[in-house]
Amino acid sequence: MAIMVNQVGYEAAVSHKKAVADRPGSYVLKNAAGEILWQGQAGEAVSDPLCGETLYPLDFGSVQAPGKYHLESAAGEKSDTFTIDRDVLAGVHNAMIKALYFQRCGCALEEKYAGPYVHAACHTGDSEVYGEPGHMLMAQGGWHDAGDYGRYITPAAVTIGQLLYAYWLYTMAFQEQLNIPESGNGLPDVLNECRYELEWMLKMQREDGGVYHKLTAWSHADFIMPQEDKDLFYAYAVSSLATADFCACMALAARVYRGSSTAGKEEKEFSLRLEAAARRAWKWLAENPEPLLFTNPQGSNTGEYGDTTDADERLWAAAEMMALAAWLKEDTREYREELCRILDTGLAVTDFGWTDVAGFAALAVLTDIDAAKAAGEETVQRLQTAVLEEADRLAALGEHNAFGMAMGAGDFCWGSNMVVTNRGILLALACKVLEIQEDGTAGRVARYEEVMQAQIDYLLGKNITGYSFVTGFGEHAYRHPHLRTTAADGIDDPMAGWVSGGPNGKPGDELAIRMIPAGTPPMKCYLDREECYSLNEMTIYWNSSAVFVTAYLRQKAWDREREQGEQA
Ligand code: 9MR
Ligand code: ZN
């Protein structure tokens, strides 16, 4: 790919419209009729450490007219086509949420909602508590985690956390109906879809409050449809990781479902169930202060989602319990003490992945006035400082590569696309902090937003592979996710809206190891091959992370339009 663009497109009113080319010289922007709307020189050469090429940035931010365009070099090389329009991210944003519906387990997918991607109800049987033969658990439901059919608490909690915060902060971006079974019931569909997962999570809690780490078979199924997978599923050991994430997630959901402007009697009842579950989990955590981590039993190959510490999970739980208690005007002391105790150990509070969830504690405290009051000024300042320092570090990374993105060469790990979008979440939170501080430096917000835009541009095609990393979106969207249903359903195209894990500098599957020569620059370590689970799987939490960032960008574009309207 000689000219790399965001293949979905650029928001008309936003001035960050950038591409990258591999040749210097002059370029034009043409519409479908061949008319030239912009002409300019590529910027100075950048020796890019992420992909190992010398590249030349293009900036056509002055073009605002809606339309379908491509970029063209003097030698006649063309980019993929893309759109410039208002709310250009709407389609991909909604598809990334709707994709979760296709992961629903325990129910049939009907043509009305699923189009051609129908299947009969899957995994309808009871599961056995691992190590307790005959002790059965009725834990049907939830979303398949990824390309496999397992369901795991810690990534589930992160997915729900990202979606609920995105909804809570950028509600306008969640107004469209998604054609899921609950659509039209008065509740935003993102809350309907999340409820499907939350109902399953509730079933994973033991009577004493502890939460089973995961529900999977002993080994991953072959590439078969889910209803054909008849393996026995096990509920594996209770862990403090799962219990703390569960606690946080339930406390947050209790607040969001009850506090949502559309909440009716049913949502209130649901919220009370979530709250009770959160309290039981909290009690378990208090009674079990030692880390209870998780490792797979020998010989089992389903996901582990292991961790070396549960401090960040306990921190998130304390923050959400504190926020909930503050919202209910209850005593928050117990939660604040735990929050401060863990913060005092000096752990970082800027990540939003399943290994490190501490960033969610910062989200909880910094996005809610009552929670901030409960935390106290000192803690608020400490969290704000940490968030802004990290945002500055990320923004600075953008100055050292041709894509303007907050990535270093070492950041391209398994699921690197989540690193890309989770950094977008951190930058969004930093913008919120600046807004609260009423920091007059609008330039700082603009800089963070520019980097957020670069993260999304990358995801949608402005990268060295030339692929858009979201199925169904872009002229060259990847088409072969490591996803069992897609592999087995006999349909050519995968369903739209799945974010690929993306380039992985340390490939971890057989085919990728064989095909990618050692020393390949990290952004080039990608293959659009179904077999490559370490490069091209999809997961619920890679989608939710991207949804957060598209929600921010959509909402900001509207805010800007409104401000401009008011000024006019
Ligand atoms: O997303 C996970 C990635 O960060 C890890 O490096 C990898 C290996 O442990 O596991 C990934 O998670 C997989 C999970 O274990 C099972 N479901 C599919 C997930 C995505 O590949
Ligand atoms: Zn299933």
Side-chain angles (χ1 to χ4, degrees), residues 286-303:
E287 288 165 1
N288 295 272
E290 292 303 318
L292 193 58
L293 307 177
F294 183 81
T295 45
N296 262 345
Q298 269 264 298
S300 163
N301 76 351
T302 45

Side-chain angles (χ1 to χ4, degrees), residues 145-146 148 152 303-305 354 414 537 539 541-542:
D145 175 59
D148 64 317
Y152 311 79
E304 182 166 78
Y305 290 114
W354 58 264
W414 189 318
E537 191 164 351
T539 70
Y541 47 98
W542 298 336

Side-chain angles (χ1 to χ4, degrees), residues 42-191:
E44 268 176 44
V46 182
S47 158
D48 183 84
L50 309 181
C51 70
E53 303 274 345
T54 298
L55 299 172
Y56 303 85
L58 300 173
D59 186 342
F60 49 98
S62 57
V63 183
Q64 297 216 342
K68 283 225 172 274
Y69 304 100
H70 70 269
L71 288 160
E72 211 173 296
S73 73
E77 281 168 307
K78 290 179 183 166
S79 74
D80 285 325
T81 54
F82 55 86
T83 302
I84 292 179
D85 206 351
R86 280 197 62 211
D87 203 16
V88 74
L89 292 173
V92 66
H93 170 82
N94 286 319
M96 291 190 299
I97 308 169
K98 167 71 185 258
L100 298 168
Y101 163 77
F102 293 104
Q103 297 295 95
R104 287 194 188 190
C105 185
C107 67
L109 300 192
E110 294 173 46
E111 193 182 350
K112 220 169 132 193
Y113 315 111
Y117 305 105
V118 290
H119 68 70
C122 56
H123 306 111
T124 50
D126 294 349
S127 304
E128 188 171 281
V129 176
Y130 183 74
E132 299 178 31
H135 180 182
M136 302 308 279
L137 188 74
M138 293 196 303
Q140 290 82 357
W143 300 315
H144 302 142
D145 175 59
D148 64 317
Y149 294 136
R151 281 157 286 150
Y152 311 79
I153 289 294
T154 55
V158 163
T159 308
I160 297 287
Q162 290 174 338
L163 290 173
L164 294 187
Y165 272 111
Y167 164 74
W168 203 233
L169 296 168
Y170 320 118
T171 310
M172 282 281 286
F174 295 90
Q175 301 301 310
E176 292 100 343
Q177 287 189 9
L178 304 177
N179 187 31
I180 58 175
E182 300 79 9
S183 292
N185 67 356
L187 204 64
D189 273 346
V190 69
L191 297 190

Side-chain angles (χ1 to χ4, degrees), residues 197-253:
E197 182 77 338
L198 286 161
E199 291 284 4
W200 166 72
M201 291 176 77
L202 287 168
K203 297 177 188 168
M204 291 289 282
Q205 187 174 36
R206 210 165 55 180
E207 202 117 297
D208 69 348
V211 178
Y212 297 110
H213 192 75
K214 64 169 187 167
L215 191 76
T216 71
W218 180 257
S219 297
H220 285 309
D222 293 336
F223 273 22
I224 53 176
M225 289 298 282
Q227 71 275 20
E228 285 157 18
D229 177 18
K230 303 292 185 195
D231 275 1
L232 177 63
F233 270 49
Y234 297 97
Y236 286 88
V238 163
S239 72
S240 56
L241 304 163
T243 307
D245 276 356
F246 174 101
C247 175
C249 180
M250 293 296 154
L252 167 63

